[in-house]
Amino acid sequence: MTELAQGTNGSALTVLWQEGDWLAIHKPAGWLVHRTGLDAGETRFVVQTLRDQLGQHVFPVHRLDKGTSGVLLMGLSPEAARAMAQQFAQRLVHKRYLAMVRGWPGASLSVDHPLRPDDTPPETPPQDALTHVRRLATWQLDVPVDRYPHTRVALVEAQPETGRRHQIRRHLKHIAHPIIGDATHGKGAHNRWWAQHLGLQRLWLHATELRLQHPADGRELLLRSDPRDAALNPDWCALLAQPWVWERDARTAA
């Protein structure tokens, strides 16, 4: 296994790793991967910024939601992107995410809940979707929010085996532990309270790690955007410094 070093290049986007026709970058929260008419007012786009930064075209291997930060893979040609994308399609990529959710879920659970693709007719058959969830830490404040006498949140590790759109967000909502800051699938009162308490409004979901094989020679790659890296992830770094009660052996998983 090759553990790949992180680094910054002083430009708008940080390149975590580059080799041959492939690279991994750190995607900041609030950036779209590419232009879309659904968010016409946005000005920050990964594909266009990285193209200008590198001086050549780039092609996304997969997607991250606008609000999600973390590891994003790109190819320098359509063929290179497709070579890596095949591993995602064949479910050969091991993905780890970190999220802050409302309430305290069970210590470990698997959410096996089919999802109908977004923006499709109600009669569209749902697709299989499976996410493994592990609780890492809990935090309670004795402040009433909404109808609850206290506010409770947890840090969880989410490992999706399938790659449905908004899968982690929808699965965590399904088990009644939506992600803090999720305006679509979460709770407005809790989102607003935590945004004020933390001084930051964002979706608290981070793509921490991708583990896959190098398309050229089969080497195992481990690509990470460390949430404790203050240069890359100052918001997560500050969040993790709060008085969490950690599960046994869970602190190093974040």
Side-chain angles (χ1 to χ4, degrees), residues 59-104:
F59 303 86
V61 173
H62 62 122
R63 298 288 192 273
L64 291 177
D65 293 343
K66 175 182 176 181
T68 305
S69 54
V71 183
L72 182 67
L73 283 172
M74 312 290 288
L76 297 181
S77 70
E79 296 76 19
R82 282 197 295 270
M84 265 193 172
Q86 288 178 357
Q87 294 187 54
F88 285 85
Q90 296 169 7
R91 302 182 184 178
L92 300 176
V93 180
H94 178 83
K95 297 166 281 188
R96 291 180 60 233
Y97 288 76
L98 178 65
M100 179 170 69
V101 303
R102 180 175 65 85
W104 293 357

Tab-separated table of all heavy atoms in Angstrom, residues 59-104:
chain	number	residue	atom	x	y	z
A	59	PHE	N	-10.813	15.929	-16.055
A	59	PHE	CA	-12.070	15.210	-16.192
A	59	PHE	C	-12.386	14.496	-14.882
A	59	PHE	O	-11.588	13.681	-14.412
A	59	PHE	CB	-11.970	14.201	-17.348
A	59	PHE	CG	-11.595	14.839	-18.658
A	59	PHE	CD1	-10.245	15.044	-18.983
A	59	PHE	CD2	-12.569	15.266	-19.533
A	59	PHE	CE1	-9.890	15.649	-20.179
A	59	PHE	CE2	-12.225	15.874	-20.738
A	59	PHE	CZ	-10.885	16.069	-21.058
A	60	PRO	N	-13.533	14.791	-14.267
A	60	PRO	CA	-13.864	14.164	-12.979
A	60	PRO	C	-14.042	12.655	-13.103
A	60	PRO	O	-14.665	12.170	-14.055
A	60	PRO	CB	-15.189	14.837	-12.594
A	60	PRO	CG	-15.297	16.048	-13.461
A	60	PRO	CD	-14.557	15.737	-14.712
A	61	VAL	N	-13.509	11.936	-12.134
A	61	VAL	CA	-13.706	10.485	-12.061
A	61	VAL	C	-15.011	10.169	-11.340
A	61	VAL	O	-15.715	9.223	-11.679
A	61	VAL	CB	-12.514	9.830	-11.341
A	61	VAL	CG1	-12.762	8.345	-11.089
A	61	VAL	CG2	-11.231	10.021	-12.157
A	62	HIS	N	-15.358	10.980	-10.345
A	62	HIS	CA	-16.584	10.798	-9.568
A	62	HIS	C	-17.042	12.180	-9.132
A	62	HIS	O	-16.504	13.198	-9.574
A	62	HIS	CB	-16.350	9.860	-8.372
A	62	HIS	CG	-15.344	10.376	-7.388
A	62	HIS	ND1	-15.608	10.595	-6.057
A	62	HIS	CD2	-14.040	10.740	-7.555
A	62	HIS	CE1	-14.540	11.059	-5.453
A	62	HIS	NE2	-13.574	11.159	-6.328
A	63	ARG	N	-18.051	12.254	-8.273
A	63	ARG	CA	-18.615	13.533	-7.865
A	63	ARG	C	-18.659	13.635	-6.340
A	63	ARG	O	-18.763	12.625	-5.644
A	63	ARG	CB	-20.049	13.691	-8.399
A	63	ARG	CG	-20.179	13.690	-9.919
A	63	ARG	CD	-19.648	14.970	-10.526
A	63	ARG	NE	-20.023	15.110	-11.930
A	63	ARG	CZ	-19.340	14.615	-12.944
A	63	ARG	NH1	-18.244	13.912	-12.707
A	63	ARG	NH2	-19.735	14.807	-14.188
A	64	LEU	N	-18.612	14.856	-5.864
A	64	LEU	CA	-18.945	15.179	-4.482
A	64	LEU	C	-19.966	16.303	-4.517
A	64	LEU	O	-19.886	17.199	-5.359
A	64	LEU	CB	-17.720	15.637	-3.693
A	64	LEU	CG	-16.632	14.597	-3.387
A	64	LEU	CD1	-15.463	15.265	-2.666
A	64	LEU	CD2	-17.176	13.442	-2.568
A	65	ASP	N	-20.934	16.273	-3.605
A	65	ASP	CA	-21.919	17.344	-3.516
A	65	ASP	C	-21.224	18.681	-3.263
A	65	ASP	O	-20.129	18.738	-2.691
A	65	ASP	CB	-22.902	17.091	-2.373
A	65	ASP	CG	-23.791	15.889	-2.627
A	65	ASP	OD1	-23.887	15.454	-3.777
A	65	ASP	OD2	-24.385	15.400	-1.641
A	66	LYS	N	-21.906	19.745	-3.616
A	66	LYS	CA	-21.373	21.095	-3.410
A	66	LYS	C	-20.963	21.309	-1.954
A	66	LYS	O	-19.890	21.859	-1.676
A	66	LYS	CB	-22.420	22.127	-3.818
A	66	LYS	CG	-22.033	23.573	-3.534
A	66	LYS	CD	-23.149	24.522	-3.925
A	66	LYS	CE	-22.815	25.965	-3.554
A	66	LYS	NZ	-23.908	26.905	-3.918
A	67	GLY	N	-21.778	20.880	-1.013
A	67	GLY	CA	-21.487	21.136	0.389
A	67	GLY	C	-20.455	20.224	1.008
A	67	GLY	O	-19.982	20.476	2.120
A	68	THR	N	-20.092	19.140	0.314
A	68	THR	CA	-19.173	18.144	0.855
A	68	THR	C	-17.736	18.522	0.535
A	68	THR	O	-17.411	18.907	-0.582
A	68	THR	CB	-19.477	16.755	0.261
A	68	THR	OG1	-20.849	16.439	0.482
A	68	THR	CG2	-18.606	15.687	0.902
A	69	SER	N	-16.866	18.391	1.522
A	69	SER	CA	-15.433	18.605	1.313
A	69	SER	C	-14.731	17.264	1.223
A	69	SER	O	-15.305	16.224	1.538
A	69	SER	CB	-14.860	19.429	2.476
A	69	SER	OG	-15.165	18.809	3.720
A	70	GLY	N	-13.458	17.291	0.776
A	70	GLY	CA	-12.664	16.078	0.828
A	70	GLY	C	-12.033	15.649	-0.476
A	70	GLY	O	-11.878	16.441	-1.411
A	71	VAL	N	-11.675	14.364	-0.547
A	71	VAL	CA	-10.887	13.816	-1.649
A	71	VAL	C	-11.732	13.683	-2.914
A	71	VAL	O	-12.809	13.077	-2.891
A	71	VAL	CB	-10.317	12.431	-1.289
A	71	VAL	CG1	-9.444	11.913	-2.437
A	71	VAL	CG2	-9.501	12.498	-0.016
A	72	LEU	N	-11.207	14.235	-4.011
A	72	LEU	CA	-11.870	14.150	-5.307
A	72	LEU	C	-10.832	13.737	-6.345
A	72	LEU	O	-9.763	14.337	-6.445
A	72	LEU	CB	-12.480	15.503	-5.684
A	72	LEU	CG	-13.257	15.573	-7.000
A	72	LEU	CD1	-14.529	14.729	-6.920
A	72	LEU	CD2	-13.603	17.022	-7.327
A	73	LEU	N	-11.169	12.710	-7.130
A	73	LEU	CA	-10.257	12.180	-8.145
A	73	LEU	C	-10.545	12.784	-9.510
A	73	LEU	O	-11.697	12.960	-9.892
A	73	LEU	CB	-10.396	10.655	-8.245
A	73	LEU	CG	-9.734	9.822	-7.151
A	73	LEU	CD1	-10.134	8.371	-7.296
A	73	LEU	CD2	-8.228	9.954	-7.225
A	74	MET	N	-9.477	13.055	-10.261
A	74	MET	CA	-9.597	13.626	-11.597
A	74	MET	C	-8.659	12.882	-12.544
A	74	MET	O	-7.618	12.349	-12.125
A	74	MET	CB	-9.214	15.112	-11.592
A	74	MET	CG	-9.853	15.949	-10.492
A	74	MET	SD	-11.618	16.202	-10.695
A	74	MET	CE	-11.622	17.351	-12.069
A	75	GLY	N	-9.022	12.867	-13.824
A	75	GLY	CA	-8.145	12.356	-14.864
A	75	GLY	C	-7.729	13.491	-15.777
A	75	GLY	O	-8.451	14.484	-15.929
A	76	LEU	N	-6.577	13.350	-16.417
A	76	LEU	CA	-6.099	14.374	-17.342
A	76	LEU	C	-6.512	14.082	-18.775
A	76	LEU	O	-6.129	14.819	-19.690
A	76	LEU	CB	-4.576	14.508	-17.236
A	76	LEU	CG	-4.056	14.967	-15.873
A	76	LEU	CD1	-2.539	15.080	-15.888
A	76	LEU	CD2	-4.683	16.292	-15.468
A	77	SER	N	-7.277	13.012	-18.967
A	77	SER	CA	-7.854	12.692	-20.274
A	77	SER	C	-9.137	11.926	-20.015
A	77	SER	O	-9.313	11.329	-18.945
A	77	SER	CB	-6.888	11.849	-21.108
A	77	SER	OG	-6.783	10.542	-20.563
A	78	PRO	N	-10.050	11.901	-20.993
A	78	PRO	CA	-11.274	11.102	-20.803
A	78	PRO	C	-10.968	9.631	-20.570
A	78	PRO	O	-11.640	8.971	-19.768
A	78	PRO	CB	-12.032	11.323	-22.124
A	78	PRO	CG	-11.516	12.609	-22.658
A	78	PRO	CD	-10.072	12.668	-22.247
A	79	GLU	N	-9.945	9.107	-21.246
A	79	GLU	CA	-9.595	7.697	-21.090
A	79	GLU	C	-9.079	7.405	-19.680
A	79	GLU	O	-9.423	6.384	-19.073
A	79	GLU	CB	-8.537	7.300	-22.126
A	79	GLU	CG	-8.987	7.397	-23.569
A	79	GLU	CD	-9.041	8.814	-24.094
A	79	GLU	OE1	-8.395	9.717	-23.482
A	79	GLU	OE2	-9.724	9.043	-25.112
A	80	ALA	N	-8.265	8.313	-19.144
A	80	ALA	CA	-7.739	8.128	-17.788
A	80	ALA	C	-8.866	8.177	-16.760
A	80	ALA	O	-8.907	7.367	-15.819
A	80	ALA	CB	-6.692	9.191	-17.480
A	81	ALA	N	-9.779	9.118	-16.924
A	81	ALA	CA	-10.908	9.211	-15.996
A	81	ALA	C	-11.758	7.953	-16.046
A	81	ALA	O	-12.186	7.433	-15.007
A	81	ALA	CB	-11.750	10.445	-16.322
A	82	ARG	N	-12.015	7.434	-17.253
A	82	ARG	CA	-12.830	6.220	-17.371
A	82	ARG	C	-12.149	5.025	-16.728
A	82	ARG	O	-12.812	4.168	-16.129
A	82	ARG	CB	-13.127	5.923	-18.851
A	82	ARG	CG	-14.229	6.791	-19.440
A	82	ARG	CD	-14.748	6.194	-20.735
A	82	ARG	NE	-13.718	6.187	-21.779
A	82	ARG	CZ	-13.521	7.187	-22.635
A	82	ARG	NH1	-14.274	8.275	-22.569
A	82	ARG	NH2	-12.582	7.102	-23.556
A	83	ALA	N	-10.820	4.941	-16.828
A	83	ALA	CA	-10.098	3.810	-16.238
A	83	ALA	C	-10.291	3.751	-14.730
A	83	ALA	O	-10.444	2.664	-14.156
A	83	ALA	CB	-8.609	3.909	-16.587
A	84	MET	N	-10.278	4.906	-14.080
A	84	MET	CA	-10.523	4.926	-12.634
A	84	MET	C	-12.004	4.786	-12.316
A	84	MET	O	-12.382	4.153	-11.328
A	84	MET	CB	-9.971	6.209	-12.017
A	84	MET	CG	-8.576	6.057	-11.451
A	84	MET	SD	-8.084	7.453	-10.411
A	84	MET	CE	-6.533	6.832	-9.754
A	85	ALA	N	-12.860	5.377	-13.144
A	85	ALA	CA	-14.299	5.321	-12.886
A	85	ALA	C	-14.826	3.893	-12.923
A	85	ALA	O	-15.814	3.579	-12.257
A	85	ALA	CB	-15.038	6.183	-13.901
A	86	GLN	N	-14.161	3.014	-13.678
A	86	GLN	CA	-14.590	1.620	-13.724
A	86	GLN	C	-14.554	0.974	-12.348
A	86	GLN	O	-15.410	0.149	-12.015
A	86	GLN	CB	-13.709	0.835	-14.694
A	86	GLN	CG	-13.950	1.154	-16.161
A	86	GLN	CD	-13.015	0.396	-17.077
A	86	GLN	OE1	-12.121	-0.341	-16.625
A	86	GLN	NE2	-13.186	0.582	-18.381
A	87	GLN	N	-13.575	1.359	-11.524
A	87	GLN	CA	-13.501	0.780	-10.180
A	87	GLN	C	-14.669	1.234	-9.315
A	87	GLN	O	-15.176	0.471	-8.491
A	87	GLN	CB	-12.174	1.151	-9.522
A	87	GLN	CG	-10.959	0.548	-10.206
A	87	GLN	CD	-9.694	0.793	-9.430
A	87	GLN	OE1	-9.588	0.484	-8.230
A	87	GLN	NE2	-8.684	1.356	-10.105
A	88	PHE	N	-15.123	2.483	-9.505
A	88	PHE	CA	-16.306	2.950	-8.787
A	88	PHE	C	-17.531	2.180	-9.263
A	88	PHE	O	-18.348	1.744	-8.450
A	88	PHE	CB	-16.504	4.450	-9.017
A	88	PHE	CG	-15.556	5.323	-8.248
A	88	PHE	CD1	-14.293	5.604	-8.748
A	88	PHE	CD2	-15.922	5.861	-7.020
A	88	PHE	CE1	-13.413	6.416	-8.048
A	88	PHE	CE2	-15.048	6.675	-6.307
A	88	PHE	CZ	-13.795	6.944	-6.821
A	89	ALA	N	-17.660	2.007	-10.576
A	89	ALA	CA	-18.819	1.302	-11.124
A	89	ALA	C	-18.868	-0.145	-10.668
A	89	ALA	O	-19.950	-0.713	-10.454
A	89	ALA	CB	-18.789	1.375	-12.648
A	90	GLN	N	-17.699	-0.758	-10.487
A	90	GLN	CA	-17.629	-2.154	-10.058
A	90	GLN	C	-17.596	-2.307	-8.536
A	90	GLN	O	-17.453	-3.407	-8.023
A	90	GLN	CB	-16.394	-2.813	-10.669
A	90	GLN	CG	-16.432	-2.886	-12.188
A	90	GLN	CD	-15.105	-3.294	-12.794
A	90	GLN	OE1	-14.146	-3.650	-12.090
A	90	GLN	NE2	-15.010	-3.252	-14.116
A	91	ARG	N	-17.743	-1.194	-7.830
A	91	ARG	CA	-17.765	-1.172	-6.355
A	91	ARG	C	-16.479	-1.722	-5.746
A	91	ARG	O	-16.483	-2.447	-4.747
A	91	ARG	CB	-18.982	-1.942	-5.823
A	91	ARG	CG	-20.303	-1.393	-6.340
A	91	ARG	CD	-21.485	-2.134	-5.754
A	91	ARG	NE	-22.734	-1.657	-6.340
A	91	ARG	CZ	-23.942	-2.156	-6.053
A	91	ARG	NH1	-24.048	-3.151	-5.173
A	91	ARG	NH2	-25.016	-1.680	-6.633
A	92	LEU	N	-15.367	-1.339	-6.347
A	92	LEU	CA	-14.059	-1.784	-5.876
A	92	LEU	C	-13.344	-0.713	-5.062
A	92	LEU	O	-12.257	-0.967	-4.543
A	92	LEU	CB	-13.182	-2.183	-7.071
A	92	LEU	CG	-13.717	-3.321	-7.943
A	92	LEU	CD1	-12.796	-3.549	-9.141
A	92	LEU	CD2	-13.874	-4.603	-7.130
A	93	VAL	N	-13.943	0.463	-4.952
A	93	VAL	CA	-13.324	1.571	-4.231
A	93	VAL	C	-13.863	1.610	-2.810
A	93	VAL	O	-15.079	1.605	-2.591
A	93	VAL	CB	-13.594	2.909	-4.938
A	93	VAL	CG1	-12.943	4.059	-4.179
A	93	VAL	CG2	-13.096	2.868	-6.379
A	94	HIS	N	-12.949	1.626	-1.850
A	94	HIS	CA	-13.327	1.733	-0.443
A	94	HIS	C	-13.389	3.211	-0.082
A	94	HIS	O	-12.392	3.934	-0.195
A	94	HIS	CB	-12.312	1.015	0.446
A	94	HIS	CG	-12.597	1.119	1.909
A	94	HIS	ND1	-13.485	0.296	2.564
A	94	HIS	CD2	-12.124	1.970	2.853
A	94	HIS	CE1	-13.542	0.639	3.840
A	94	HIS	NE2	-12.723	1.648	4.044
A	95	LYS	N	-14.575	3.681	0.346
A	95	LYS	CA	-14.795	5.102	0.624
A	95	LYS	C	-15.130	5.300	2.093
A	95	LYS	O	-15.951	4.573	2.648
A	95	LYS	CB	-15.946	5.634	-0.246
A	95	LYS	CG	-15.673	5.579	-1.739
A	95	LYS	CD	-16.929	5.793	-2.557
A	95	LYS	CE	-17.781	4.539	-2.619
A	95	LYS	NZ	-18.909	4.651	-3.556
A	96	ARG	N	-14.507	6.300	2.718
A	96	ARG	CA	-14.799	6.644	4.103
A	96	ARG	C	-15.159	8.116	4.187
A	96	ARG	O	-14.462	8.966	3.615
A	96	ARG	CB	-13.613	6.363	5.031
A	96	ARG	CG	-13.299	4.892	5.226
A	96	ARG	CD	-12.110	4.690	6.152
A	96	ARG	NE	-12.357	5.259	7.465
A	96	ARG	CZ	-11.543	6.121	8.068
A	96	ARG	NH1	-10.460	6.543	7.487
A	96	ARG	NH2	-11.826	6.579	9.267
A	97	TYR	N	-16.245	8.405	4.890
A	97	TYR	CA	-16.709	9.771	5.102
A	97	TYR	C	-16.832	10.025	6.600
A	97	TYR	O	-17.060	9.101	7.392
A	97	TYR	CB	-18.080	9.992	4.462
A	97	TYR	CG	-18.092	10.047	2.963
A	97	TYR	CD1	-17.982	8.893	2.204
A	97	TYR	CD2	-18.232	11.267	2.279
A	97	TYR	CE1	-18.003	8.939	0.817
A	97	TYR	CE2	-18.257	11.316	0.899
A	97	TYR	CZ	-18.142	10.146	0.173
A	97	TYR	OH	-18.168	10.194	-1.198
A	98	LEU	N	-16.711	11.288	6.963
A	98	LEU	CA	-16.933	11.741	8.335
A	98	LEU	C	-18.105	12.702	8.324
A	98	LEU	O	-18.183	13.581	7.459
A	98	LEU	CB	-15.677	12.431	8.865
A	98	LEU	CG	-15.735	13.011	10.286
A	98	LEU	CD1	-15.903	11.903	11.313
A	98	LEU	CD2	-14.472	13.828	10.572
A	99	ALA	N	-19.036	12.538	9.273
A	99	ALA	CA	-20.208	13.414	9.330
A	99	ALA	C	-20.551	13.723	10.774
A	99	ALA	O	-20.313	12.906	11.686
A	99	ALA	CB	-21.408	12.753	8.642
A	100	MET	N	-21.120	14.916	10.990
A	100	MET	CA	-21.727	15.249	12.274
A	100	MET	C	-23.243	15.176	12.094
A	100	MET	O	-23.802	15.829	11.210
A	100	MET	CB	-21.322	16.645	12.751
A	100	MET	CG	-21.984	17.013	14.087
A	100	MET	SD	-21.337	18.520	14.878
A	100	MET	CE	-21.922	19.800	13.767
A	101	VAL	N	-23.882	14.370	12.931
A	101	VAL	CA	-25.313	14.124	12.765
A	101	VAL	C	-26.080	14.502	14.022
A	101	VAL	O	-25.521	14.580	15.121
A	101	VAL	CB	-25.579	12.636	12.433
A	101	VAL	CG1	-24.817	12.225	11.181
A	101	VAL	CG2	-25.205	11.714	13.604
A	102	ARG	N	-27.376	14.735	13.834
A	102	ARG	CA	-28.258	15.036	14.963
A	102	ARG	C	-28.520	13.753	15.748
A	102	ARG	O	-28.764	12.700	15.175
A	102	ARG	CB	-29.581	15.612	14.453
A	102	ARG	CG	-30.565	15.966	15.562
A	102	ARG	CD	-31.803	16.648	14.996
A	102	ARG	NE	-32.578	15.787	14.133
A	102	ARG	CZ	-33.505	14.912	14.565
A	102	ARG	NH1	-33.761	14.801	15.848
A	102	ARG	NH2	-34.170	14.171	13.712
A	103	GLY	N	-28.499	13.865	17.073
A	103	GLY	CA	-28.797	12.717	17.923
A	103	GLY	C	-27.630	11.751	18.029
A	103	GLY	O	-26.546	11.988	17.500
A	104	TRP	N	-27.893	10.659	18.731
A	104	TRP	CA	-26.870	9.644	18.965
A	104	TRP	C	-27.321	8.332	18.337
A	104	TRP	O	-28.158	7.617	18.926
A	104	TRP	CB	-26.637	9.451	20.465
A	104	TRP	CG	-26.027	10.633	21.161
A	104	TRP	CD1	-25.624	11.799	20.595
A	104	TRP	CD2	-25.744	10.744	22.559
A	104	TRP	NE1	-25.109	12.655	21.545
A	104	TRP	CE2	-25.169	12.031	22.759
A	104	TRP	CE3	-25.917	9.897	23.643
A	104	TRP	CZ2	-24.776	12.473	24.019
A	104	TRP	CZ3	-25.516	10.340	24.903
A	104	TRP	CH2	-24.948	11.610	25.088
